[in-house]
Amino acid sequence: MISRGISVIVLAGQRSQRSVLSKRAQVSHDIMVPVGGEPAISRVLRSVSEATATGNIVLVGPDTGALSSDHELADLISRSGLDWVAPADDPATSAILGSSKVGYPIFITTADHALLTPQIIDDFCNKAVSLDVDFSAGLVPFDLVQRDYPKSRRTVLRFYRELYCGANLYFIKNKKGLRAFEFWKQMQPIRKKPHAMARRIGILLFVKYLLKRLTLESAISELSVKIGCNLGIVKLNSARAAIDVDSIEDWQLAEAIIAKDVVSE
């Protein structure tokens, strides 16, 4: 099944202060870090524009302060011709804001996902559309990431006999699926408070995850009930889908990957 006309939200909010990465790259914001000689945000916008599955694109962020202080960034966004929405203080709320500007279904990603390709987007969207769920998230098997990029340090989701990395790729099939981001919004203030997270998610579910006795299927099933919408997972077969450019190490890795792409062309 080949999907077309799927709405797109690209999250481009930024931290209030310059990160270590942006300072090293000598740019104003992480999304402007050059990868293969092109700002990360530019690479992302080009990929979502060239994907077969995508339709209307809305850019959420950066805020007006960032645009007024970085003329290159402001010009880049102006030339893109995309609809722009001021971001909220957190990614989940920004996603909710963006969703009010487009129709369903909606594909969501981030502006620092510089290694994203039209092929990855189409693969994700086509798989997500075929699932009988309200909300989907992309995951990459950790062994695939280890195989292709053995020195890459990633956050690993450790389920029973299954390890995955996140991909910052999301799919909202309908209005009910927006509840996943509403739940994420509630979790953000307590993300560094394990006891509060356990109470919100469910003590038993939380403990089973910590003990690595929780299967991915069980986690999805129980969270679907708690959140109030049917959740699904899209397993991706591209290791680069697990890499966004939000650290110096990932920037260096992304540069090496793009350089290899150029040599192989």
Side-chain angles (χ1 to χ4, degrees):
M1 178 179 180
I2 299 177
S3 302
R4 298 180 186 276
I6 295 171
S7 300
V8 178
I9 295 173
V10 178
L11 301 176
Q14 71 288 330
R15 301 180 180 92
S16 57
Q17 296 181 337
R18 287 179 70 196
S19 67
V20 174
L21 171 61
S22 60
K23 290 178 181 177
R24 173 68 71 85
Q26 298 183 347
V27 295
S28 59
H29 303 89
D30 287 1
I31 59 176
M32 290 298 289
V33 169
V35 178
E38 182 179 4
I41 184 175
S42 178
R43 300 185 69 91
V44 173
L45 295 180
R46 178 160 48 81
S47 289
V48 295
S49 297
E50 292 178 357
T52 301
T54 57
N56 184 41
I57 303 169
V58 171
L59 182 65
V60 183
D63 62 26
T64 53
L67 296 178
S68 62
S69 64
D70 189 327
H71 298 302
E72 181 184 358
L73 175 58
D75 183 60
L76 187 156
I77 293 174
S78 176
R79 285 187 285 104
S80 73
L82 302 177
D83 294 330
W84 172 87
V85 177
D89 293 333
D90 61 88
T93 307
S94 291
I96 294 170
L97 283 173
S99 69
S100 68
K101 306 297 182 181
V102 296
Y104 297 101
I106 306 169
F107 165 68
I108 300 177
T109 191
T110 57
D112 61 356
H113 209 329
L115 295 179
L116 199 59
T117 65
Q119 293 75 24
I120 292 174
I121 295 170
D122 286 337
D123 179 48
F124 174 78
C125 288
N126 290 331
K127 289 176 178 176
V129 165
S130 68
L131 296 178
D132 187 22
V133 298
D134 306 305
F135 175 90
S136 304
L139 291 180
V140 181
F142 180 54
D143 59 356
L144 182 62
V145 179
Q146 279 192 311
R147 184 197 71 188
D148 289 0
Y149 311 116
K151 295 183 180 180
S152 174
R153 293 188 296 176
R154 312 248 58 84
T155 298
V156 181
L157 301 172
R158 300 178 182 276
F159 296 98
Y160 180 62
R161 294 183 177 177
E162 292 183 282
L163 304 179
Y164 293 96
C165 297
N168 276 344
L169 303 179
Y170 310 99
F171 192 87
I172 306 175
K173 184 173 282 189
N174 50 49
K175 188 175 182 179
K176 195 175 179 181
L178 202 59
R179 294 178 185 176
F181 276 106
E182 291 168 351
F183 182 79
W184 181 10
K185 178 182 177 180
Q186 295 168 12
M187 293 295 293
Q188 285 179 156
I190 61 174
R191 67 187 186 279
K192 296 183 180 180
K193 301 176 181 178
H195 291 91
M197 287 182 61
R199 288 193 296 271
R200 186 70 184 85
I201 295 173
I203 299 294
L204 182 59
L205 189 69
F206 191 73
V207 171
K208 287 174 69 176
Y209 177 76
L210 291 179
L211 295 176
K212 300 180 179 63
R213 304 301 297 175
L214 181 66
T215 65
L216 177 59
E217 291 73 19
S218 294
I220 294 302
S221 177
E222 294 192 40
L223 284 174
S224 292
V225 173
K226 184 167 290 293
I227 294 173
C229 72
N230 292 321
L231 305 176
I233 293 297
V234 173
K235 297 179 183 180
L236 298 160
N237 57 11
S238 172
R240 65 197 290 163
I243 302 168
D244 50 15
V245 181
D246 60 2
S247 70
I248 293 174
E249 293 78 9
D250 285 344
W251 178 34
Q252 293 170 339
L253 175 60
E255 288 276 58
I257 292 171
I258 295 300
K260 186 176 181 180
D261 287 347
V262 172
V263 170
S264 62
E265 288 179 354

